[in-house]
């Protein structure tokens, strides 16, 4: 079955850290860019970070630069998000998403639409 | 950063009616890099339209997309009960990738 399964969310204090994971199955993981997208409860979608198939192209939203780090391990069909210096405004569902299509700079970048999503993992930042 | 503004915020319609959702960009986007997503309560988003006008796999033909430059539209020709949801547009031609704020299509 083609799916993405996130894990690693939870309750963390401000200033704390978490590592989110996304396990992919049912498709050739290292053929595709991958992304993290978040959604605060009752709010809209916000792209967090994306990574190309070979980790050679990485991008992040300004709101998380310097605090969040995306990575992948193609041998394990897994995507990760290391999140540090957490703030209350980081409270959200974090979705893993598979990239599809080619962006304006070719197939070796993270620019893509998202054609497969996981169910999300909730990160709550509160004291 | 390209800001996407969706309107209206909420659209109240009856099953069988036509829905037109707008997405306006703060800068010109190549239509190749404009997508639409549907999200139902408690679920992850689902890709509906990509390249401004191409339907994603499994999306019924009552969904159509159009537009170019800075103005894009998602049209649902005849609303079915399962179409009531929130719809987001997204651009992926420029970093950071951005989403619009969403349009909720609710049952009138």
């Amino acid at each position: 079955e083609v799916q993405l399964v996130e894990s690693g969310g939870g309750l963390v204090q401000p200033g704390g850290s978490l590592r989110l994971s996304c396990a992919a199955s049912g498709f050739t993981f290292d053929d595709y860019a991958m992304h993290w997208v978040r959604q605060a409860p009752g709010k809209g979608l916000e792209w967090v970070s994306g990574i190309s198939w070979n980790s050679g192209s990485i991008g992040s939203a300004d709101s998380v630069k310097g605090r969040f780090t995306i990575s992948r391990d193609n041998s394990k069909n897994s995507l990760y998000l290391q999140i540090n210096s957490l703030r209350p405004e980081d409270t959200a569902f974090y979705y893993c998403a598979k990239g599809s299509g080619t962006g304006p700079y070719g197939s070796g970048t993270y620019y893509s639409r998202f054609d497969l999503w996981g169910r999300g993992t909730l990160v709550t930042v509160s004291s | 950063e390209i800001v996407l503004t969706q309107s209206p915020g909420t659209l109240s319609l009856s099953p069988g009616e036509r829905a037109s959702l707008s997405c306006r960009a703060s800068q010109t986007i190549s239509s190749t890099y404009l997508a639409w997503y549907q999200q139902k309560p408690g679920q992850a988003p689902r890709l509906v339209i990509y390249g401004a006008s191409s339907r994603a796999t499994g999306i019924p033909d009552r969904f159509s997309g159009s537009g170019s430059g800075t103005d894009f539209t998602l049209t649902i020709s005849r609303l079915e009960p399962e179409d009531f949801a929130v719809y987001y547009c997204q651009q992926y031609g420029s970093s950071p990738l951005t989403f619009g704020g969403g349009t909720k299509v609710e049952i009138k």
Side-chain angles (χ1 to χ4, degrees):
Chain A
E1 181 184 2
V2 178
Q3 64 176 355
L4 298 170
V5 179
E6 302 94 337
S7 60
L11 175 63
V12 62
Q13 292 188 337
S17 298
L18 279 176
R19 189 193 196 206
L20 307 184
S21 298
C22 171
S25 58
F27 64 96
T28 305
F29 182 72
D30 56 10
D31 276 352
Y32 299 96
M34 296 294 296
H35 299 263
W36 290 98
V37 176
R38 69 182 179 182
Q39 185 171 38
K43 302 298 184 182
L45 301 170
E46 180 187 16
W47 176 74
V48 173
S49 191
I51 186 169
S52 64
W53 68 274
N54 64 352
S55 305
S57 172
I58 291 175
S60 299
D62 287 346
S63 58
V64 306
K65 277 181 181 173
R67 299 189 300 124
F68 291 17
T69 302
I70 191 172
S71 62
R72 65 190 294 163
D73 185 337
N74 289 344
S75 69
K76 295 182 179 179
N77 290 346
S78 293
L79 178 72
Y80 305 102
L81 187 68
Q82 178 67 43
I83 49 181
N84 299 328
S85 303
L86 278 159
R87 306 166 180 168
E89 56 265 33
D90 295 319
T91 293
F93 285 94
Y94 284 74
Y95 295 102
C96 169
K98 170 181 166 286
S100 178
T102 301
Y105 306 110
S107 59
T109 70
Y110 60 87
Y111 294 69
S112 51
R113 59 187 181 265
F114 315 126
D115 68 347
L116 177 68
W117 297 66
R119 300 187 69 175
T121 187
L122 178 62
V123 173
T124 303
V125 185
S126 175
S127 54
Chain B
E1 172 176 328
I2 295 178
V3 176
L4 299 178
T5 302
Q6 292 187 241
S7 62
T10 302
L11 202 50
S12 298
L13 295 168
S14 300
E17 290 193 295
R18 180 184 185 92
S20 290
L21 288 64
S22 172
C23 175
R24 179 162 292 177
S26 60
Q27 304 171 37
T28 296
I29 300 172
S30 168
S31 59
T32 305
Y33 308 122
L34 194 287
W36 291 89
Y37 300 86
Q38 176 194 70
Q39 187 179 32
K40 298 179 181 178
Q43 296 185 17
R46 180 173 85 158
L47 179 66
V48 177
I49 296 287
Y50 65 93
S53 60
S54 297
R55 279 187 300 278
T57 302
I59 300 301
D61 61 7
R62 62 180 179 272
F63 287 87
S64 63
S66 62
S68 64
T70 60
D71 290 307
F72 299 88
T73 301
L74 174 68
T75 301
I76 310 171
S77 59
R78 295 172 307 279
L79 283 164
E80 296 288 339
E82 61 267 28
D83 300 336
F84 291 91
V86 180
Y87 292 84
Y88 296 93
C89 57
Q90 179 232 348
Q91 67 80 22
Y92 51 103
S94 173
S95 193
L97 311 187
T98 51
F99 289 92
T103 291
K104 181 179 182 180
V105 179
E106 65 175 22
I107 299 176
K108 186 175 181 179

